[in-house]
């Protein structure tokens, strides 16, 4: 009840703005909303570097590093309860998406325990959610995939609430804009009536009106929310607590967004100073990506070539990470949101592009690192 009152207080100051927007979407109340939803206890989170070989056996308490796993976050204890509204803060590549995927269950835990309630119903949005929309299919086709028993009228009425009305519900998604595809992905999540929303950059492709509509819908949502976003307005309206993901750790952050922006700027400046030193320390990008683990030198020529490629990838990741840090600084600055809407859209689009490039390089780095570890 107190959480609901806080959200209403936040919305009270935006009534005039809300009245100007014609777009209104909503997430229906979940059928069940248990108190304790997800709990991570002393979890190591990351990626399996290589599939276990036949005959390999690992003890339950064996450290993930001993199995050749790529650990990004260590000893994470994080709980999500009914009404929680958490924003994850931290530099790119630090593991925010890894934490979300671990909460969803998309990534298996490397150590520790993940406990979920039997009535947990997750709504998960990420970039690949938009990309996974079936080519050649319509919004009605996608809804039939997840609700074959629903009537055509119910599906059309629901899609109309998400602005896919009339013949738009029967159009091929291949001709949709990025914003329309993102809106459809969110609609498919809303249909399932989740009691937990895990949202990784949900506004990247949305225009300003739909961003405002999503912020209002999330502020009214009765379930729990975990949000990763660079949209300060969205975070400020929706989130009540902050958790910082950095340096392989997940910890509560008691400051506000301005204090976080100051911390992020100081961190970026420190990294830039280290990078300018003649005898620089091992790659900070690689260290933060895999919790400080680095491939062991080998004498085999093929291994040597892989290590050279690994080093080249690290250089590319450093360059991309530097641009990401700059863009994050811009997105964290309040002045950008007072500027022309076109400038905000330009920075947001560029950030999405660079972030995807960083994730692709990171995936390639992890795969190559796994090959080196597997021998």
């Amino acid at each position: 009840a107190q959480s609901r009152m806080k959200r209403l207080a936040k919305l009270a100051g935006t009534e005039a703005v809300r009245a100007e927007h014609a777009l209104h979407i909503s997430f229906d109340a979940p059928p069940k909303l248990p108190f304790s939803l997800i709990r991570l206890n002393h979890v190591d989170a990351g990626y399996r570097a290589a599939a276990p070989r036949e005959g390999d056996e690992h003890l339950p308490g064996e450290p993930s590093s001993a199995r050749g796993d790529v650990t990004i976050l260590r000893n994470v204890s994080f709980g999500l309860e009914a009404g929680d509204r958490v924003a994850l803060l931290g530099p790119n590549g630090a593991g925010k998406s890894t934490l979300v995927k671990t909460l969803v269950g998309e990534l298996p835990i490397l150590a520790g325990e993940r406990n979920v309630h039997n009535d947990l119903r997750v709504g998960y949005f990420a970039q690949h959610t938009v990309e996974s929309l079936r080519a050649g299919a319509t919004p009605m086709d996608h809804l039939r995939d997840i609700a074959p028993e629903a009537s055509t009228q119910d599906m059309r009425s629901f899609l109309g609430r998400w602005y896919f009305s009339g013949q738009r519900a029967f159009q091929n998604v291949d001709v949709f804009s990025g914003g329309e595809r993102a809106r459809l992905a969110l609609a498919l999540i809303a249909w399932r009536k989740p009691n937990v929303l895990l949202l990784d950059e949900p506004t990247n492709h949305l225009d300003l009106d739909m961003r405002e509509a999503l912020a209002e819908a999330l502020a009214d949502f009765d379930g729990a929310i975990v949000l990763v976003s660079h949209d300060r307005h969205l975070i400020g309206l929706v989130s009540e607590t902050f958790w910082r993901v950095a340096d392989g750790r997940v910890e509560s952050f008691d400051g506000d967004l301005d204090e976080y922006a100051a911390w992020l700027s100081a961190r970026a400046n420190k990294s830039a100073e280290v990078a300018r030193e003649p005898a620089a320390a091992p790659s900070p990008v690689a260290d933060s990506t895999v919790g400080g683990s680095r491939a062991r030198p080998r004498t085999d020529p093929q291994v040597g070539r892989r290590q050279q490629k690994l080093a080249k990838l690290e250089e590319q990741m450093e360059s991309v990470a530097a641009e990401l840090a700059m863009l994050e600084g811009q997105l964290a600055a309040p002045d950008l949101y007072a500027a022309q809407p076109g400038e905000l859209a330009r920075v947001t689009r560029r950030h999405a592009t660079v972030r995807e490039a960083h994730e692709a390089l990171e995936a390639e780095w992890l795969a190559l690192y796994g090959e080196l570890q597997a021998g």
Side-chain angles (χ1 to χ4, degrees):
Q2 290 177 342
S3 178
R4 180 69 174 173
M5 289 176 65
K6 288 180 182 178
R7 296 203 298 274
L8 290 173
K10 286 184 179 181
L11 290 172
T14 65
E15 290 174 354
V17 176
R18 294 174 70 172
E20 295 177 0
H21 292 276
L23 301 181
H24 296 285
I25 56 177
S26 64
F27 293 88
D28 293 336
K32 294 183 179 180
L33 185 56
F35 180 70
S36 182
L37 294 158
I38 306 175
R39 167 72 54 183
L40 302 181
N41 294 317
H42 304 291
V43 163
D44 284 358
Y47 298 84
R48 299 289 185 195
R53 289 184 284 266
E54 186 176 354
D56 282 358
E57 294 183 0
H58 300 303
L59 299 175
E62 185 179 18
S64 58
S65 58
R67 302 194 298 264
D69 299 328
V70 180
T71 303
I72 295 176
L73 302 172
R74 296 184 182 277
N75 197 30
V76 177
S77 291
F78 180 93
L80 193 61
E81 299 171 346
D84 282 351
R85 318 179 77 74
V86 179
L88 300 182
L89 307 176
N92 274 86
K96 299 189 296 294
S97 295
T98 299
L99 177 58
V100 171
K101 291 175 183 177
T102 303
L103 289 169
V104 172
E106 183 175 300
L107 288 178
I109 62 173
L110 306 181
E113 294 179 337
R114 174 182 178 269
N115 300 314
V116 302
H117 196 280
N118 290 337
D119 294 321
L120 177 70
R121 189 179 293 189
V122 172
Y124 175 41
F125 180 95
Q127 180 60 36
H128 67 75
T129 312
V130 179
E131 295 170 352
S132 64
L133 292 176
R134 188 154 48 88
T138 68
M140 286 289 288
D141 292 333
H142 283 91
L143 206 49
R144 284 196 188 97
D145 289 343
I146 62 175
E149 75 290 347
S151 70
T152 299
Q153 185 56 49
D154 285 346
M155 289 192 289
R156 293 194 67 171
S157 296
F158 175 81
L159 288 171
R161 289 166 48 195
W162 285 79
Y163 300 94
F164 296 103
S165 57
Q167 290 304 307
R168 197 64 171 163
F170 297 92
Q171 284 189 313
N172 190 323
V173 298
D174 295 351
V175 302
F176 283 6
S177 67
E180 289 172 319
R181 292 170 68 89
R183 176 158 36 98
L184 176 58
L186 289 167
L188 296 176
I189 290 171
W191 173 272
R192 297 181 172 96
K193 298 183 179 179
N195 48 29
V196 173
L197 289 174
L198 300 173
L199 308 175
D200 192 348
E201 299 290 0
T203 61
N204 270 357
H205 299 288
L206 302 180
D207 60 28
L208 292 179
D209 284 348
M210 186 51 64
R211 284 171 182 240
E212 188 68 29
L214 178 61
E216 294 168 9
L218 293 179
D220 289 332
F221 178 61
D222 289 329
I225 298 174
V226 174
L227 176 66
V228 177
S229 178
H230 287 88
D231 189 326
R232 287 174 62 100
H233 176 65
L234 181 68
I235 293 175
L237 186 59
V238 173
S239 304
E240 295 175 357
T241 58
F242 300 140
W243 283 71
R244 184 170 62 191
V245 182
D247 304 317
R249 299 189 301 273
V250 179
E251 54 193 4
S252 177
F253 181 73
D254 295 330
D256 58 21
L257 288 177
D258 289 336
E259 290 173 302
Y260 168 70
W263 173 85
L264 189 66
S265 177
R267 178 189 175 91
N269 291 337
K270 184 176 180 181
S271 296
E273 290 174 4
V274 171
R276 285 194 294 267
E277 293 177 1
S283 167
V285 175
D287 285 349
S288 66
T289 302
V290 297
S293 300
R294 296 183 66 84
R296 296 184 298 273
R298 311 276 182 95
T299 56
D300 184 277
Q302 185 175 0
V303 171
R305 286 192 293 272
R306 287 175 177 170
Q307 289 177 333
Q308 289 177 356
K309 186 176 181 181
L310 201 68
K312 184 176 180 180
L313 285 171
E314 289 174 1
E315 291 178 2
Q316 292 176 298
M317 289 170 69
E318 285 180 358
S319 175
V320 174
E323 184 175 0
L324 274 176
M326 178 194 70
L327 292 167
E328 281 188 345
Q330 292 180 9
L331 288 167
D335 293 348
L336 178 64
Y337 297 81
Q340 294 296 322
E343 179 63 11
L344 172 61
R346 184 193 68 78
V347 174
T348 302
R349 284 195 302 269
R350 181 59 186 168
H351 178 268
T353 300
V354 177
R355 183 171 184 262
E356 290 173 12
H358 184 274
E359 290 176 351
L361 287 168
E362 185 177 72
E364 188 177 357
W365 193 99
L366 288 169
L368 188 58
Y369 177 84
E371 292 174 8
L372 282 167
Q373 289 293 93

